[in-house]
Amino acid sequence: MADDHAENYVKVCEVGPRDGLQMAPSIMPTPAKIAWLKKILEAGVPEIEAGSFVPPRLVPQMADTGDVIRAMSLCSDHGICALVPNLKGAQLAYDAGAHAVIVPVSVSEKHSLSNTRKGTFEQVAEVQSIVQWVRAQPRAMRVDVGCATAFGCSMEGVIALDRVVAVASALARAGADQVVLADTVGYGNPAQIRAVVRAVRAEIGPVLGRLHLHDTMGLGLANVLAGLDAGIREFDSSMGGLGGCPFAPGASGNIVTEDLVFMLESMGLRTGIDLGALMQARVLLQQGLPGEPLRGNIALAGIPRTYRERAA
Ligand code: ZN
C-alpha cells in the first residue's frame, strides 16, 4: 500500500458501483457486485463508493446497497462509503457498517429540487442533522458532502462562483468532514477548475479535499491536472467510465479509473493501485453487466510496455 501521507500520494475513490451502476439499464446481481468490489479492493483502491441508500423505486439498481455495504465492511476496516440523501439514509449506512457517507448537496437550486426534493440550503440543514446524529454514535463515520453541479448545470446553466463558495462555506460550518466539488454534468474546464478550487480553498482550506469529475466534453483528465495544480490530492473516478445522474439531463460518464491511474502513476504520483489488477476487476464488471458499453483508453490499447518497465 502506498504511504498516504507521502507528498506524491493521490487518493483515487472508485464511484462506479454508485454513480456508474445507477445509470446502467440492467441491474447487476448482488453476488457479482460484491465479487467486483472485492477485486477493486484487492487492486489497492483505497476508497469505494459502494452504493446509495435511495428509494429502490427511484433507483432499483441500488436496492441491495445495505447487503453490499455489510459484505464489504467485513472485507476492509476503512474506505467503504455510501451515498445518502438524508438522515434516514445515514442511519441505514451506519447500521450496515459504512466507514463514510457522502451527502449530495446541489449548488444549483433547480438540480437540488430535482435530485433531493429540497432546496440547496434546506439540504445543508440536512447535512447538519446528519453530522449531529453521527457524532453522537459510538462508532466514527466520516461525513463527506458532494457539491453537485459546482461547475455548471444542465438545468440552470452557469453557476456563479460566489454561490459555490457560499454553499461550501455553509457546509464547512455545518461540520462536514470533507467537501467534494462535483462536475456532475461535466461542463467544467481546467481554468475554471483551478479558479473555483482556489476560491473555495481560500474560504474553507483543506476541508475541500476532493474533486468528482465527469468526462462529458473529453476534458476530464485535463481537469484532474488543473485540480492537482490547485492542490487537490483526491479524485473520484469510475471503472469503465460508467456514470451520470438520473436527475441531471445531459450528464455522461465519469472519468475512467483505469486511465486516471495510468496518468497519475506515469507522472510519478503514487496511488497504491495495481493497474494490472484493476484491469482484471474490469473483466468482472463486464461479466456482471453483459452488453453494457465500457469506456477507457487503457482497455483499448493495453498497458504500455513503458509503464511496466517504469514500475519494475
Ligand atoms: Zn457523478
Side-chain angles (χ1 to χ4, degrees):
M1 191 179 163
D3 174 6
D4 58 10
H5 295 295
E7 209 176 288
N8 64 352
Y9 177 72
V10 177
K11 185 173 176 181
V12 173
C13 174
E14 172 61 46
V15 299
R18 196 276 305 167
D19 207 344
L21 296 189
Q22 76 182 5
M23 292 298 283
S26 51
I27 296 178
M28 193 192 266
T30 309
K33 218 187 255 192
I34 292 171
W36 174 44
L37 298 195
K38 284 185 178 169
K39 199 82 186 168
I40 294 175
L41 273 186
E42 275 171 37
V45 173
E47 180 117 357
I48 301 179
E49 205 170 299
S52 60
F53 287 96
V54 292
R57 88 194 133 75
L58 296 179
V59 193
Q61 297 91 334
M62 296 291 114
D64 61 356
T65 292
D67 294 337
V68 172
I69 298 277
R70 246 180 293 278
M72 294 311 296
S73 62
L74 294 175
C75 302
S76 174
D77 61 3
H78 66 280
I80 305 301
C81 175
L83 181 140
V84 301
N86 50 35
L87 177 58
K88 183 168 172 257
Q91 291 167 336
L92 291 171
Y94 183 89
D95 289 344
H99 307 120
V101 288
I102 182 153
V103 190
V105 173
S106 190
V107 183
S108 150
E109 190 76 12
K110 271 190 195 152
H111 180 255
S112 184
L113 288 168
S114 134
N115 197 32
T116 57
R117 296 200 196 148
K118 288 200 184 102
T120 302
F121 284 90
E122 269 178 277
Q123 186 65 355
V124 171
E126 189 74 26
V127 168
Q128 188 158 25
S129 53
I130 291 171
V131 168
Q132 282 167 355
W133 182 83
V134 167
R135 301 285 186 258
Q137 304 311 305
R139 182 173 71 80
M141 183 168 79
R142 215 176 69 226
V143 180
D144 293 349
V145 177
C147 289
T149 66
F151 302 94
C153 176
S154 52
M155 305 167 98
E156 223 168 82
V158 173
I159 301 293
L161 180 54
D162 287 357
R163 167 99 178 161
V164 184
V165 172
V167 172
S169 305
L171 289 167
R173 284 195 302 277
D177 289 306
Q178 179 170 241
V179 168
V180 181
L181 292 183
D183 190 9
T184 311
V185 288
Y187 292 173
N189 66 72
Q192 184 189 11
I193 299 283
R194 221 174 269 122
V196 175
V197 167
R198 284 183 180 149
V200 173
R201 278 223 153 159
E203 286 295 316
I204 67 170
V207 177
L208 166 56
R210 178 150 50 116
L211 292 178
H212 174 102
L213 301 167
H214 281 245
D215 202 26
T216 317
M217 301 299 170
L219 296 182
L221 291 182
N223 288 342
V224 169
L225 289 179
L228 285 168
D229 215 30
I232 298 294
R233 291 293 178 271
E234 289 190 31
F235 296 90
D236 285 352
S237 60
S238 172
M239 185 168 285
L242 291 176
C245 173
F247 306 105
S252 77
N254 286 269
I255 54 173
V256 178
T257 306
E258 305 87 298
D259 295 358
L260 173 66
V261 169
F262 172 76
M263 183 183 81
L264 294 171
E265 291 278 337
S266 300
M267 290 168 68
L269 297 164
R270 289 295 165 259
T271 61
I273 298 171
D274 176 336
L275 188 53
L278 200 62
M279 298 314 285
Q280 289 165 20
R282 183 179 161 114
V283 173
L284 294 190
L285 166 61
Q286 190 72 83
Q287 286 169 355
L289 279 183
E292 180 73 21
L294 302 182
R295 294 188 298 119
N297 292 303
I298 296 301
L300 282 176
I303 301 173
R305 180 177 170 179
T306 48
Y307 186 90
R308 297 188 192 278
E309 284 172 359
R310 180 202 51 82

